[in-house]
Amino acid sequence: MKLFVYHTPELTPKVGFPDCAIAVDILRATTTISTALAAGAEAVQVFSDLDQLAKTSALHPEALRLKSAERGGTTVDGFDLGNSPFEYTPEMVKGKRIFMSTTNGTRALQCIQSAPIVLAAAMINLSSVLAYLQKNQPPVVWIVASGWQGSYSLEDTACAGAIAAGLDWEFGNDEAISAKCLYQQWSDRLEDLFRHATHGQRLLKLGGDLDIAYCASIDKVKVLPKQISAGVLAAGII
Ligand code: MLT
């Protein structure tokens, strides 16, 4: 296996897609997507653009849709849900399609949507992602961190490193090697690391203390968010 980590959607190549591409947005989009699918959501459909989200969701039966949008860490007015994983309870999401847009995470998913296999990874579903990769052995894997508006983020790199640490690979780019080192240095203090991170600090100011603790917990759920059509993720077979 050849493993490439990219720190932001902007740094991710636009051509030559790998066999499998994995988006990571620990705080909080891929954590929330994993939570929603584990809670029984039918699918999560991602958008970078809110107008496009509104148009597409309007075509879906009202009783079976929820619209979710976050910008800068807070819920966008007029949407059913924000991006806290705690909002995505079975009572709220079971059987529903979630039309979601977030500041960075949904952009990361959109930038890899042409890859033949697209997954979303978080700390809370780490073993599910690793089990899929170990079983299927895609020859070339990209891990695309969401970062924050074009810049590096510690928490996404730590998750990329956790994936790198759980796989056997014969080649990793420099980012994959350094992500693995970051994870190995902090693996028993992930929550502390996330609290130091820029977006962790932002979420703390917005009252996201419990969200950070949850996003740092490993294997809370057994679910594999896997793309079933462009931009649409559903629970895949692990
Ligand atoms: C993002 O896409 O940047 C986020 O997931 C931000 C957040 O809701 O914390």
Side-chain angles (χ1 to χ4, degrees):
M1 182 185 290
K2 292 187 172 60
L3 185 63
F4 296 82
V5 171
Y6 298 106
H7 288 312
T8 63
E10 288 77 2
L11 289 169
T12 303
K14 305 295 173 266
V15 289
F17 283 100
D19 304 288
C20 174
I22 306 168
V24 173
D25 183 4
I26 294 305
L27 298 175
R28 296 165 287 180
T30 55
T31 303
T32 298
I33 290 169
S34 303
T35 303
L37 293 176
E42 176 254 323
V44 179
Q45 186 161 354
V46 297
F47 298 84
S48 45
D49 180 69
L50 293 178
D51 291 335
Q52 196 55 49
L53 185 161
K55 278 187 202 140
T56 309
S57 61
L59 304 173
H60 205 76
E62 198 174 346
L64 296 177
R65 72 176 185 229
L66 287 168
K67 291 188 289 173
S68 142
E70 165 277 339
R71 289 292 180 270
T74 57
T75 306
V76 179
D77 284 346
F79 283 77
D80 303 309
L81 295 161
N83 201 20
S84 170
F86 292 111
E87 296 175 68
Y88 293 73
T89 58
E91 297 71 30
M92 178 62 96
V93 304
K94 202 167 174 40
K96 306 250 174 90
R97 178 165 298 209
I98 298 167
F99 295 84
M100 171 186 277
S101 180
T102 71
T103 312
N104 305 285
T106 53
R107 284 177 49 236
L109 276 160
Q110 284 203 316
C111 98
I112 55 174
Q113 70 184 18
S114 300
I117 300 168
V118 175
L119 308 176
M123 291 299 186
I124 64 159
N125 71 335
L126 179 62
S127 290
S128 301
V129 172
L130 285 175
Y132 178 85
L133 295 170
Q134 284 156 355
K135 184 167 153 203
N136 293 282
Q137 292 292 325
V140 180
V141 174
W142 290 1
I143 304 174
V144 176
S146 303
W148 187 268
Q149 295 183 332
S151 55
Y152 173 96
S153 75
L154 275 172
E155 67 280 8
D156 294 344
T157 310
C159 182
I163 298 169
L167 296 172
D168 286 326
W169 29 283
E170 86 256 7
F171 171 84
N173 66 353
D174 288 3
E175 291 90 333
I177 295 165
S178 64
K180 184 176 168 183
C181 293
L182 178 75
Y183 170 71
Q184 287 173 331
Q185 184 75 21
W186 286 86
S187 59
D188 55 351
R189 289 167 297 150
L190 286 173
E191 192 178 330
D192 286 350
L193 180 68
F194 294 0
R195 284 170 193 276
H196 280 104
T198 320
H199 189 48
Q201 294 281 312
R202 186 181 294 107
L203 285 176
L204 283 173
K205 286 190 191 121
L206 294 168
D209 194 68
L210 292 176
D211 282 20
I212 295 174
Y214 176 77
C215 294
S217 54
I218 304 230
D219 291 341
K220 274 266 176 206
V221 295
K222 193 170 172 194
V223 72
L224 181 75
K226 186 162 183 274
Q227 182 171 269
I228 51 169
S229 59
V232 182
L233 296 137
I237 296 165
I238 298 167

